[in-house]
Amino acid sequence: MGNIAIAEIQFADYIYPAFDQIVNEAAKFRYRSGNQFNCGGLTIRTPYGAVGHGGHYHSQSPEAFFCHVPGIKVVIPRGPSQAKGLLLASIWDPNPVVFFEPKWLYRQAVENVPEDDYILPLSQAEVICTGTDLTVVGWGAQMAILHQACSEGRQAGISCELIDLQTLIPWDKETIEASVKKTGRLLVSHEAPITGGFGAEIAASIAERCFLHLEAPVSRVCGLDTPFPLVFEPYYMPTKNKVLEAIKASVRF
């Protein structure tokens, strides 16, 4: 009918009843139709991640499930300005996009966001700060934690290059590869459980593409392989201190 489709799921934890429709129908619609139909450029907005008191049904990070599916894109902003630019880019993209929004942004993030329309290109990572000793990669809410850890690392004499991936699928391999070839080290961090998390895909790809440039094993600082806890959330989360310790260990290697 010529309309643009934008769906909203209140919590990413409850996206699973729609999983079949997303991965078996929406993701394959353009392919099945020979590019005649595209689900109205479907964009699915859904809040994800920890919020401090959400427990195991309102705190999960399920992005890796969708990163395994050809035909859809996965986008996660780190702040209000990125949320607007990336969301508009997702809406205008003809492919289905799962747009994960960090819950903590809704009430804690404040920025002067341009009122005019603008888009930020999908599949393009952003280098937040340059460095020479270690490449640090993350996305979404975890970027605030990584920025704090990199700042403290810089005070300790460790120069970190911090990169926001922004789009997980298709992800910007070239930017990460160029950074790792310069620094010789890589640390990836996300809230989702470490096993099968998207950080493992980044680690494997960079180990393959940058093997001769690596000075240390790729490090991952992620959530634990447990259901998301309530009172034990501080132990589960990849906190600033955990990231900072991994930064120091990687540089010492």
Side-chain angles (χ1 to χ4, degrees), residues 144-245:
I145 301 298
L146 297 179
H147 195 278
Q148 296 172 15
C150 289
S151 296
E152 292 197 14
R154 194 172 295 273
Q155 295 175 10
I158 302 172
S159 176
C160 296
E161 182 148 295
L162 179 60
I163 300 177
D164 180 4
L165 201 57
Q166 301 193 116
T167 302
L168 273 64
I169 290 293
W171 64 288
D172 185 357
K173 295 181 182 179
E174 290 72 23
T175 295
I176 310 303
E177 178 182 354
S179 177
V180 173
K181 285 183 176 179
K182 177 178 66 174
T183 65
R185 297 173 176 85
L186 173 64
L187 184 150
V188 186
S189 183
H190 55 68
E191 287 185 20
I194 188 169
T195 299
F198 194 68
E201 172 63 26
I202 298 174
S205 295
I206 293 303
E208 181 180 6
R209 298 163 74 104
C210 302
F211 183 74
L212 296 179
H213 297 268
L214 288 171
E215 302 290 341
V218 177
S219 299
R220 288 182 291 159
V221 182
C222 309
L224 304 180
D225 289 332
T226 70
F228 200 101
L230 180 58
V231 296
F232 294 121
E233 179 175 310
Y235 299 97
Y236 173 94
M237 293 293 290
T239 60
K240 177 197 68 175
N241 289 338
K242 291 180 182 178
V243 174
L244 184 58
E245 186 60 34

Side-chain angles (χ1 to χ4, degrees), residues 78-82 104-113:
R78 72 174 184 275
S81 297
Q82 293 74 31
W104 71 269
L105 287 183
Y106 291 150
R107 296 178 181 175
Q108 297 186 29
V110 178
E111 285 183 10
N112 290 319
V113 178

Side-chain angles (χ1 to χ4, degrees), residues 11 79 86 102 134 136 156 184 194 213 232 251:
F11 289 95
L86 291 171
L134 172 68
V136 179
I194 188 169
H213 297 268
F232 294 121
V251 173

Side-chain angles (χ1 to χ4, degrees), residues 10 12 20 22 29 41-42 52 63-64 73 122 131 164 191 213 226 228 250:
Q10 189 173 16
D20 181 61
I22 295 170
F29 215 59
L42 174 64
E63 65 270 16
K73 297 185 177 182
L122 302 183
D164 180 4
E191 287 185 20
H213 297 268
T226 70
F228 200 101
S250 182

